[in-house]
Amino acid sequence: MLAPAHALSNDETGPQPRPERAPEVVAAPAEAEASATVTPAPVRPAARPAQLAAVQPAPAAAEVVRGPVTRLPVPRYVSLKGNEGNVRRGPSLSHRIDWVFRHAGMPLRVVGEFGHWRRVEDRDGAGGWVHYRLLSGVRTAIVQQEMVELRARPDLNAGVIAMAEGGAIVRLGECGTGWCQISGAGAKGWVEKAAIWGVDADEIRD
């Protein structure tokens, strides 16, 4: 069973026609003399369209926003390297400490960069500025549900390998459209993305 706050660490890596009206048909008056020769009016060819309809371009892919310091995507996920990290109100040591993160491997979301500082937030949206040396590029996740089953395959019919408690911090592996592989405390298996925090719903990992 995976217990809460399982520690993981490593260094942070770095280097969104209107249709025309049909012409009215007017009946020609009957000719008085049957012997009169009727000459049909010449048929005017249809006018060529002034221009062809414009081809609609394919929708452009969402542009990836990159941080001004690392040039890595923002937002992105990282983890807390050590057992604690001071969270400051601004990006410098002169700013006051609002609180302290105290779980090694805790997943965090980077939402801003300034010099050696990264603005991060936790799963509740709380956060502030943390020095980059306190962060790791190792991807982790935190179990959000009270008890989660780790399965042998990304399938609800697959066998259950282990159970993970709510609040457990796990190592994040590959992810598909709806499932991610996680590991910790000697166990490794697949869980639904909705059961963990630390990965975007549309994120794919090999």
Side-chain angles (χ1 to χ4, degrees):
M1 179 176 292
L2 304 184
H6 179 66
L8 297 167
S9 66
N10 196 7
D11 291 334
E12 181 185 21
T13 57
Q16 174 183 256
R18 182 179 299 175
E20 297 180 355
R21 181 181 178 185
E24 297 181 357
V25 178
V26 180
E31 295 293 339
E33 298 180 3
S35 61
T37 302
V38 178
T39 303
V43 178
R44 183 178 179 182
R48 184 176 181 179
Q51 63 182 27
L52 298 177
V55 178
Q56 296 296 327
E63 183 179 357
V64 176
V65 178
R66 297 188 177 275
V69 180
T70 64
R71 304 306 300 166
L72 294 173
V74 174
R76 67 179 182 275
Y77 290 94
V78 295
S79 57
L80 187 65
K81 183 185 294 186
N83 291 323
E84 65 178 40
N86 294 333
V87 183
R88 297 181 180 272
R89 184 160 297 184
S92 75
L93 293 174
S94 62
H95 287 85
R96 62 172 290 183
I97 298 173
D98 284 336
W99 56 81
V100 180
F101 291 138
R102 296 190 181 277
H103 295 292
M106 179 181 182
L108 298 168
R109 193 167 182 252
V110 176
V111 295
E113 298 180 355
F114 184 85
H116 295 316
W117 298 82
R118 307 291 179 262
R119 184 173 179 82
V120 299
E121 60 185 23
D122 63 13
R123 61 172 172 167
D124 298 319
W129 292 91
V130 175
H131 197 276
Y132 81 99
R133 290 185 177 178
L134 301 177
L135 303 175
S136 167
V138 171
R139 291 292 298 274
T140 62
I142 188 167
V143 177
Q144 298 202 97
Q145 299 177 4
E146 184 176 350
M147 192 66 71
V148 174
E149 297 174 336
L150 277 67
R151 297 185 178 273
R153 300 185 312 278
D155 186 339
L156 288 175
N157 295 321
V160 177
I161 297 174
M163 304 291 290
E165 296 181 19
I169 295 174
V170 295
R171 180 75 173 263
L172 185 67
E174 61 179 297
C175 293
T177 55
W179 293 75
C180 285
Q181 191 177 52
I182 62 173
S183 60
K188 186 176 183 179
W190 291 85
V191 297
E192 292 184 278
K193 278 185 178 178
I196 58 176
W197 186 89
V199 61
D200 289 329
D202 58 351
E203 184 177 354
I204 304 296
R205 287 172 49 85
D206 297 326

